[in-house]
Amino acid sequence: MWQKDWRERLWASAKDQQWDIIIVGGGITGAGILREAARIGLKVLLVEQGDFASGTSSRSSKLVHGGLRYLKTGQWRLTLESVRERERLMRESGGLVTLQGFVTAVFKGRKPGYWMMRFGLFLYDLMARKRRFRSLGPAEVEMLAPRIRQDSLRGGFWYPDAQTDDARLTLRVIQEAQRDGAAAANYVRATELMFDEGQVAGVRVKDMLSGEDHPLYARLVINAAGAWCDRLRLQVGGQVSIRPLRGSHLVFDYADLPCAQAVSFFHAEDGRPVFAVPWDGRVILGTTDLDHDGDLDAEPRCSLEEAEYLLRAINDMFPRNPLSLEQAIASYAGVRPVIASGKALNPSEESREHALWQEKGLLSITGGKLTTYRTTALEVLQAAAEQIPEADKLDAEAPILASTRPVRHASLGALSARRLLGRYGAAVHDMLAQADEADLQPIRDTQYLWIELRWAAQHEAVMHLQDLMLRRTRLGLVLSDGGVGLLPRVRELCQAALGWDDQRWELEAGEYQRQWQANYAPPDRQEGSYA
Ligand SMILES: Cc1cc2nc3c(=O)[nH]c(=O)nc-3n(C[C@H](O)[C@H](O)[C@H](O)COP(=O)(O)OP(=O)(O)OC[C@H]3O[C@@H](n4cnc5c(N)ncnc54)[C@H](O)[C@@H]3O)c2cc1C
């Protein structure tokens, strides 16, 4: 938890310190490294130029999955590792990573073919060491995926994967590291590496809120800056390696796209996989995969072209009630930090494996998946054994997330209690202790409770209103107009806790609405929507 005045105290103490490790990047990769480093007693600091998870790690498809499609491209190691991590995360995350059933229909003359799919699912189960997939007849497919296309439907399959809230997973991993003594600061940008005898000895950072610069020294600097990773690498003579690929999603009301189970299928035009996944009380539809030519410092957004591509996919699979863009509640886009093969491959053919570089003492990590963040973190720290001999204490069997006593509260149902436990970990008990009956009411049409907003404002390093609406909670994704209608009540609950005067609140509210309109509204409603 971030206590009041944490920022001032960090800068007051940070100046004269020698850190063991400074991590640049507060997405899931940096968070995972922070967590594992803190676990072995290292003095470690993470700096994030925007909000935690504001890069790709709040913009994924929210799946903790093996990635069936990676089997097709022969990425066995990635699939095996992902399946094993999925199993552990489901067991140990206490409600943050949960099972998600998928349905894939099989049609005569279309991909996937029945035997191909069956073989893939057999391997998938084998990797998890559990027999779980099931064959379905056409009526069962229709029951699990109502309104699915009927012509040439032969049947299909049901199989389990998992889903999460990516931004909350990132935050929970950071918070668990804090409990072991780690420090993490958002809105702090690493601007320039500092050298001693040709080796990286620290990094100059800029507090993006105050504008102040601070030199910070460490035995090791780890560059976990995702799609931005090449920027620091260029300062140590590295080559540009990232091929930024944008992926976008649309968010729909369950009533418009009633998927009780997730539905996965291939786009009729290009054979790319598309998912419709029930998530946070809504359904998300994604994703696209195309070269992102935009400025990495500007927020990515879903283009009209991508939205139409996704609509064509879903309307081909569910032709009886075609969806229109007007029905979408929100959209979001993220940039995959994919390692360029250098070959003229289609975006979807590029490998999703991660890569590591050690250059003049700077250790850079990028690529990979949300699902495998922990194994990636362990690999990174093992690779740093020369600078960090304590890496020999790393324990791959240590609990991924700390287990906490269950939540029992007269005003909460079992599902709600489990949801809170997963999102807040050990802090949930303190949160509930300060909640009154009104705080424990759900926010209309969502699974969120009012207390979550106040708790986040008090303890979760909220620096801007969008941190609260888009990442601590995901109200900006699940409510039409980004939940702007809730802002007066959010103000009553949170303004004092945030320490903002009326002028600051007005500024933040205006900026949030502008941001949402430009980057999260469905594209035909975005200002200056691009094609
Ligand atoms: C559309 C899409 C769907 C996806 N779906 C899935 C999925 O379902 N399952 C899955 O497992 N994976 C999925 N992924 C992949 C996964 O989301 C990413 O691999 C993962 O989030 C990358 O995390 P990261 O921490 O490396 O990068 P990021 O989350 O981008 O974090 C890097 C951070 O570094 C910060 N930064 C950059 N430069 C600096 C600097 N100079 N100083 C300080 N901070 C800096 C950035 O602001 C950023 O927050 C998906 C990706 C996309 C784009």
Side-chain angles (χ1 to χ4, degrees), residues 243 245 291 340-350:
R243 180 175 176 188
L245 297 176
D291 283 300
S341 62
K343 300 178 194 149
L345 295 178
N346 284 331
S348 298
E349 288 167 359
E350 294 279 16

Side-chain angles (χ1 to χ4, degrees), residues 115-152:
W115 289 108
M116 178 73 163
M117 192 68 197
R118 199 181 165 92
F119 181 59
L121 289 172
F122 168 75
L123 288 179
Y124 215 43
D125 274 1
L126 197 66
M127 289 177 172
R129 300 195 191 108
K130 285 181 182 142
R131 168 78 167 87
R132 289 194 291 208
F133 85 85
R134 286 203 301 115
S135 300
L136 304 173
E140 288 172 300
V141 171
E142 159 95 45
M143 192 180 70
L144 294 174
R147 307 185 204 164
I148 199 161
R149 66 179 304 134
Q150 292 296 301
D151 61 305
S152 324

Side-chain angles (χ1 to χ4, degrees), residues 294-508:
D295 177 0
L296 280 180
D297 289 332
E299 285 232 17
R301 60 190 203 191
C302 174
S303 69
L304 192 55
E305 198 180 56
E306 288 171 279
E308 285 169 349
Y309 168 91
L310 291 172
L311 283 173
R312 287 198 302 279
I314 197 76
N315 289 338
D316 177 63
M317 192 49 58
F318 293 86
R320 282 184 272 166
N321 281 69
L323 280 172
S324 69
L325 200 44
E326 286 67 47
Q327 287 165 281
I329 298 171
S331 70
Y332 65 90
V335 180
R336 297 178 183 86
V338 168
I339 317 298
S341 62
K343 300 178 194 149
L345 295 178
N346 284 331
S348 298
E349 288 167 359
E350 294 279 16
S351 165
R352 266 43 173 174
E353 300 269 5
H354 61 266
L356 271 177
W357 297 269
Q358 303 217 45
E359 292 148 325
K360 298 188 182 164
L362 177 72
L363 183 52
S364 299
I365 165 72
T366 195
K369 297 170 64 192
L370 190 78
T371 308
T372 48
Y373 79 87
R374 185 191 69 104
T375 48
T376 303
L378 292 171
E379 186 184 329
V380 169
L381 291 168
Q382 271 149 5
E386 201 176 306
Q387 294 111 309
I388 307 288
E390 296 91 328
D392 66 4
K393 288 192 258 166
L394 290 168
D395 178 6
E397 299 311 316
I400 299 187
L401 295 167
S403 66
T404 309
R405 74 191 145 90
V407 172
R408 292 207 173 80
H409 195 289
S411 306
L412 295 175
L415 277 180
S416 188
R418 191 165 159 71
R419 181 183 164 279
L420 292 177
L421 185 65
R423 279 171 168 68
Y424 298 91
V428 70
H429 299 290
D430 291 337
M431 179 170 99
L432 292 175
Q434 63 154 259
D436 61 25
E437 275 306 304
D439 290 332
L440 294 178
Q441 296 306 307
I443 298 173
R444 201 166 157 216
D445 289 337
T446 76
Q447 304 179 9
Y448 292 91
L449 307 182
W450 289 104
I451 184 65
E452 294 183 68
L453 286 159
R454 199 176 67 225
W455 179 261
Q458 285 170 337
H459 300 294
E460 294 191 336
V462 171
M463 299 290 135
H464 290 294
L465 190 55
Q466 57 158 299
D467 306 342
L468 187 63
M469 299 296 284
L470 291 168
R471 289 172 289 274
R472 302 304 177 277
T473 70
R474 318 307 296 272
L475 291 167
L477 293 183
V478 303
L479 290 173
S480 52
D481 294 331
V484 167
L486 294 180
L487 290 185
R489 174 97 166 95
V490 177
R491 181 178 189 167
E492 274 171 35
L493 277 175
C494 301
Q495 185 177 341
L498 290 165
W500 295 349
D501 61 17
D502 289 347
Q503 191 189 5
R504 172 82 188 272
W505 178 273
E506 297 297 341
L507 269 175
E508 290 286 340

Side-chain angles (χ1 to χ4, degrees), residues 24-30 47-51 53-65 188-191 224-228 232 245-249 287-288 334-337 366-372:
V24 177
I28 191 67
T29 306
V47 293
E48 161 57 51
Q49 65 180 355
D51 186 25
S54 60
T56 311
S57 297
S58 56
R59 301 155 185 277
S60 76
S61 302
K62 330 288 186 212
L63 300 177
V64 173
H65 63 159
V188 176
R189 173 176 287 165
T191 51
W228 296 260
L232 284 185
L245 297 176
R246 187 169 75 241
S248 295
H249 293 82
T287 171
T288 57
V335 180
R336 297 178 183 86
T366 195
K369 297 170 64 192
L370 190 78
T371 308
T372 48

